[in-house]
Amino acid sequence: MKINRGFIYSILSVILPILLRLIFLRFISYSMDEGVYGRILYFETILAALTQVIYSIPSQSFNKFFNSSSKEKFIPEFHGLYIIINIIVVIITLVLFFTGVLEIESELLIIFFLYLFILSIFNTSRDQSLLELKRIKYLRFKLIESVSKFLLPILFYVLFKSIESYFFGILMGLLIGTLISYKSIRFNLNLDIIRLKKYWVFASPIALTALFSWSISLSDRFFIEYFFGESKLGVYGILYQVSFLPLILGTLFNNYASPIIFKIHSEDKYIAFKKLFYYIKISAILLLVLLVSLILIPKETFYLLINSEILA
């Protein structure tokens, strides 16, 4: 029987980050003040707004047109596009900061700006490895991403005891991962207007969807922080971390099936849709099994991850 190594690597790219996330959940539940984590969560929501909504157009266009474009020009062009987008974001954010609309420490603001520039480079390389079906390379990117998101923030927070150090840990993780992953980075700031228009026409509806998605899934944190304070937001954030378990299947589908479908779609749309419906059927069955398994997990099991005082 032939082993599908691509599928195994895709599973590992989901399971290993989950294990690191469980370590993170255990730490913030037992060893971090709820108010501190609530403050961190508030800033993470602002970051999510900047990255999920603004980056949705270039990221979705990158996925769509990658297989049908010349990689020699396509990738440097997107690096250049991200630089221009990041500069625009920095200008808008500074205007909000100096007018008092955005209340944030100046040190955090500098960290966020550096984070945006490094994140765009890192994500482009990560998505490239996924679309090229380089499963081992993509697994490495996911591990780097998870370490920078879940382990290094904890380490820097334990050492320096500040919110700034927490986000600096994330920044350092991405920076080290980017330096390790890239031998050379080429940028092309001489962008083709015709291609940019094509990207915009394709992805602008997705950007609108991303905005609504963010407002539905994350804006509740602003309301909780405003009406109930940062401690309650911290408790909400800890409990919210548990909700990622049902998303395992969706993440696996995105890691394994989506790049295959994108690749086939660039060659034959009919076969691509047949493949898509096949994966959807398999996913529906696995989702049912996953949901039943989660329902049968005893509540006491979560005490290993979450402080019993929070679950009480």
Side-chain angles (χ1 to χ4, degrees):
M1 182 179 177
K2 187 178 180 180
I3 299 175
N4 189 336
R5 293 187 177 182
F7 185 66
I8 293 175
Y9 292 136
S10 296
I11 292 177
L12 289 175
S13 69
V14 175
I15 298 300
L16 294 180
I18 285 176
L19 294 177
L20 296 179
R21 187 168 189 163
L22 293 177
I23 295 172
F24 173 79
L25 177 57
R26 167 80 184 189
F27 175 83
I28 62 173
S29 177
Y30 281 90
S31 304
M32 183 180 284
D33 180 75
E34 295 162 2
V36 172
Y37 184 61
R39 187 69 173 161
I40 289 172
L41 200 62
Y42 176 81
F43 290 132
E44 284 184 340
T45 306
I46 297 175
L47 264 182
L50 292 174
T51 55
Q52 289 183 14
V53 178
I54 297 172
Y55 284 175
S56 59
I57 290 180
S59 64
Q60 293 299 324
S61 297
F62 185 86
N63 292 339
K64 165 65 177 174
F65 298 104
F66 178 83
N67 288 303
S68 58
S69 303
S70 169
K71 310 303 179 292
E72 309 268 325
K73 298 179 180 178
F74 185 73
I75 295 172
E77 181 178 57
F78 266 83
H79 283 315
L81 178 59
Y82 272 116
I83 287 179
I84 294 173
I85 291 174
N86 285 332
I87 291 173
I88 294 172
V89 171
V90 168
I91 293 172
I92 294 174
T93 306
L94 286 175
V95 171
L96 295 176
F97 175 73
F98 286 113
T99 55
V101 176
L102 180 62
E103 296 182 1
I104 186 173
E105 291 79 2
S106 56
E107 295 86 354
L108 271 179
L109 200 61
I110 294 172
I111 292 174
F112 286 178
F113 289 157
L114 293 173
Y115 171 82
L116 289 176
F117 281 94
I118 297 172
L119 179 69
S120 59
I121 297 172
F122 181 86
N123 284 353
T124 302
S125 186
R126 182 201 61 196
D127 293 345
Q128 178 185 351
S129 66
L130 180 62
L131 293 168
E132 290 177 341
L133 302 179
K134 295 180 179 178
R135 304 293 186 179
I136 298 179
K137 189 176 181 180
Y138 181 73
L139 174 59
R140 185 175 72 231
F141 275 111
K142 291 301 292 183
L143 288 176
I144 292 172
E145 185 179 45
S146 299
V147 168
S148 68
K149 187 183 293 185
F150 300 126
L151 292 189
L152 287 182
I154 292 175
L155 175 62
F156 276 78
Y157 179 79
V158 169
L159 292 175
F160 302 105
K161 302 294 183 183
S162 69
I163 293 177
E164 290 82 2
S165 64
Y166 176 95
F167 285 102
F168 187 74
I170 297 176
L171 176 64
M172 289 305 298
L174 275 183
L175 177 59
I176 293 170
T178 302
L179 294 176
I180 292 174
S181 304
Y182 268 102
K183 295 180 179 178
S184 63
I185 304 172
R186 292 185 298 125
F187 300 91
N188 179 14
L189 297 177
N190 186 22
L191 304 179
D192 188 301
I193 300 300
I194 296 176
R195 284 201 297 271
L196 288 180
K197 184 178 179 181
K198 181 173 68 172
Y199 301 154
W200 171 261
V201 170
F202 168 74
S204 54
I206 299 174
L208 190 61
T209 304
L211 176 62
F212 287 127
S213 176
W214 173 85
S215 63
I216 292 171
S217 61
L218 296 179
S219 62
D220 52 354
R221 301 177 184 184
F222 287 119
F223 288 97
I224 294 172
E225 191 274 339
Y226 181 80
F227 288 107
F228 302 105
E230 292 173 349
S231 293
K232 296 298 182 184
L233 177 60
V235 172
Y236 171 83
I238 292 170
L239 296 176
Y240 185 84
Q241 289 283 340
V242 182
S243 67
F244 75 88
L245 291 173
L247 302 177
I248 294 174
L249 195 59
T251 306
L252 179 59
F253 181 90
N254 186 61
N255 289 355
Y256 180 72
S258 293
I260 295 176
I261 294 169
F262 274 124
K263 192 173 185 64
I264 297 175
H265 188 271
S266 65
E267 301 168 357
D268 191 313
K269 295 181 180 179
Y270 176 74
I271 296 177
F273 279 110
K274 284 186 65 177
K275 201 74 172 177
L276 173 63
F277 291 134
Y278 168 76
Y279 284 130
I280 288 175
K281 290 177 184 178
I282 299 298
S283 298
I285 296 171
L286 294 176
L287 178 60
L288 180 61
V289 174
L290 177 63
L291 291 177
V292 172
S293 302
L294 291 175
I295 291 172
L296 295 177
I297 295 177
K299 179 183 176 182
E300 289 73 21
T301 305
F302 292 102
Y303 290 155
L304 298 173
L305 300 173
I306 303 177
N307 195 321
S308 58
E309 295 179 1
I310 295 177
L311 288 175

